[in-house]
Amino acid sequence: MITLVRRVTATCALSAALTACAATLQPVRPAPSATTTAPSAPPTLAPGPGGLTPVFKNGSRTHGRTVALTFDADMTADQGARAAAGEHFDNPGLIAALRALKVPATVFMTGRWAEQYPEQARSLGRDPLFEVANHSYSHYAFTDDCYGLPTVSGDRMRADVERAYAAFRRAGVPDARPYFRFPGGCYDRRALKALTPVGVTAVQWDVVSGDAFATDADAVTRQVLEGVRPGSVVVMHCTRSAAPTTERVVRAVVPELRERGFRFVKVSELIGS
């Protein structure tokens, strides 16, 4: 009897051990991989009346104290000789200041600028602090009588914008935004109609910094600080030769606006809010 009990006990123990071992040897199934979500498209505005290209000037005045600093990287198609002679249409010090201050910004770049400074264009386009948008290829005006700029003909407007996007891709900008700023800010119904097939949102501004050709950084700083409201879009320039004070203005404006409770955003965030 005792022997039988011992045998039964041993059998039970062996059975339990085998069960535990089998459980231990079960293959480990990998956890299901997370579903990859495609990046969402940048926000744009719906077409305007008659299907025309929509125009954005500022964001909401009531959805928080946000402000977008925008910088035009201007270079006209016929300025290559001036660049070759040493004129600086870029402004690395300004970009370094924005990075040091951790200020998101939107850079409206001409295709000719991207061709002249491909490494800088690529650096801006791949830095999550910035977004690159379209400022035409040639920086020729889309209307007559626009600050003395040469004029692009109506039948070439769409091609000029598309040529800029092609220049960005060649420079290594991976994801230029579907936003367009008219050279000089000049546009009319004909220009808006010409760009409708491109699918861009035209981006203007509600605060003129006055940095173009300015030599008094304090005056430009005052003009920006006096003009900014919640949702504002500030237009400035990323061109040393034409806007030599801009870096100093940014270094003064940014801490002051932050002290006032403003948060800096890209244009895409203003459009999407």
Side-chain angles (χ1 to χ4, degrees), residues 73-207:
D74 293 343
M75 187 173 177
T76 304
D78 58 4
Q79 291 178 330
R82 289 166 56 180
E87 184 169 349
H88 292 285
F89 296 94
D90 62 340
N91 195 337
L94 168 63
I95 300 304
L98 291 168
R99 284 173 168 148
L101 293 166
K102 296 180 172 57
V103 178
T106 303
V107 179
F108 287 88
M109 187 182 297
T110 69
R112 185 64 189 86
W113 194 98
E115 288 178 346
Q116 187 70 34
Y117 305 106
E119 292 183 0
Q120 293 186 54
R122 182 165 56 253
S123 176
L124 288 166
R126 296 182 179 182
D127 188 337
L129 194 65
F130 302 104
E131 60 186 5
V132 171
N134 197 312
H135 195 31
S136 80
Y137 174 82
S138 64
H139 201 250
Y140 288 1
F142 282 53
T143 65
D144 297 328
D145 191 24
C146 181
Y147 302 104
L149 290 172
T151 305
V152 61
S153 61
D155 62 344
R156 297 297 302 165
M157 292 177 181
R158 174 181 176 180
D160 195 73
V161 175
E162 291 174 339
R163 187 180 179 187
Y165 280 121
F168 300 157
R169 289 191 294 271
R170 288 194 301 272
V173 176
D175 187 26
R177 305 283 90 175
Y179 309 139
F180 176 72
R181 174 164 286 165
F182 287 99
C186 305
Y187 69 93
D188 55 17
R189 181 181 178 85
R190 182 184 68 156
L192 294 177
K193 184 176 181 180
L195 298 189
T196 297
V198 187
V200 294
T201 293
V203 177
Q204 296 289 98
W205 55 81
D206 66 318
V207 178

